[in-house]
Amino acid sequence: MTQNLLLLLGQYHPVVIEGMGGYDPRDPALVAAEVSERLMSYWGQNQVQKPKLLITQGDPLEERGISAITPLVAARFGLSRGLVCLDEEIAEYHSPNADRDNVILEVKYSQLVDVLNDSRSGIMERLERAIEDRIDRKNQKRKALGENPLKDYFRDFALLQEVTKAACSHLCRGITVAHTSSEISEFSVTGFYTVGLELGLVDPDDMVP
């Protein structure tokens, strides 16, 4: 079953949209419209041959933020959605709370870890070290600012974010990545997107301007 799911995923062009969660104060319809315009422009210049699949990462449905924006973008382009969730032993609450509306394909984080490990020997160790190093540096900065350290779950969700993009890009021979805002907080999970770029796991050309 696992191999069949991955083969099915490989037939699509994954679209990953990253951004703030439910704390995003903006109207999701306006943000979705802006993201859709940028995607349309990007795909006008970068032709995609495979059918597109909008990949989500287990966000529970909320009135604002990424989980409210992605269904609107999917509807704009008539896309189905794929879902990646953390395994139960990592975060038992993650999969049960995920929004599954319009989801036609679901894989676990560990399955994509296997894809990544098969693609490049030792890459998960390098990615984990890079994420942990980035967290340490962010926490040092937060301490200097008199702020509390980042929550422990940041490591798991930063890894989920980067493994999803890297494994999907490898498996599907390409990916489109878009952000819901040009201003990304360095203390957000989205802010870890630079790690995947630095390790060569995501091609900068696959990032929507």
Side-chain angles (χ1 to χ4, degrees):
M1 178 63 77
T2 296
Q3 195 59 36
N4 289 342
L5 278 173
L6 296 176
L7 287 172
L8 180 59
L9 177 57
Q11 296 174 14
Y12 289 94
H13 177 85
V15 181
V16 176
I17 301 173
E18 299 172 340
M20 292 180 276
Y23 60 90
D24 188 340
R26 301 170 299 167
D27 181 340
L30 295 178
V31 179
E34 173 63 27
V35 171
S36 296
E37 285 298 318
R38 287 191 285 122
L39 284 169
M40 194 179 305
S41 174
Y42 177 79
W43 287 327
Q45 300 172 38
N46 301 268
Q47 296 295 321
V48 174
Q49 304 304 321
K50 292 181 177 180
K52 303 177 186 75
L53 186 69
L54 199 153
I55 305 293
T56 60
Q57 296 168 57
D59 302 287
L61 187 58
E62 298 185 86
E63 290 185 1
R64 296 183 183 274
I66 193 69
S67 71
I69 293 165
T70 50
L72 297 174
V73 175
R76 169 65 181 81
F77 293 103
L79 306 182
S80 296
R81 302 200 294 165
L83 174 65
V84 184
C85 285
L86 290 169
D87 296 70
E88 187 175 302
E89 57 267 29
I90 299 174
E92 62 180 11
Y93 61 86
H94 194 229
S95 178
N97 292 333
D99 174 29
R100 286 180 168 79
D101 184 53
N102 192 28
V103 168
I104 63 167
L105 190 157
E106 180 174 343
V107 296
K108 293 182 178 180
Y109 168 74
S110 60
Q111 293 172 307
L112 295 187
V113 166
D114 289 342
V115 169
L116 204 52
N117 276 328
D118 288 344
S119 72
R120 285 169 61 179
S121 177
I123 189 58
M124 273 307 300
E125 288 81 359
R126 289 183 61 201
L127 179 57
E128 288 172 353
R129 281 198 305 271
I131 293 286
E132 289 162 1
D133 178 65
R134 193 64 55 89
I135 288 173
D136 286 343
R137 282 190 276 156
K138 289 178 187 290
N139 281 338
Q140 289 171 15
K141 189 168 185 177
R142 288 178 67 84
K143 185 177 181 180
L145 294 169
E147 301 283 347
N148 292 325
L150 297 173
K151 301 290 187 182
D152 290 343
Y153 63 74
F154 267 72
R155 178 185 184 275
D156 295 332
F157 285 97
L159 282 168
L160 172 66
Q161 175 179 276
E162 296 313 302
V163 166
T164 295
K165 290 181 294 185
C168 284
S169 179
H170 172 75
L171 197 62
C172 305
R173 308 291 184 205
I175 192 171
T176 296
V177 181
H179 289 143
T180 62
S181 175
S182 58
E183 296 180 7
I184 299 171
S185 168
E186 65 176 308
F187 300 128
S188 66
V189 171
T190 304
F192 286 84
Y193 81 94
T194 55
V195 174
L197 288 171
E198 289 166 8
L199 290 178
L201 295 173
V202 177
D203 189 329
D205 290 340
D206 293 334
M207 305 281 295
V208 177

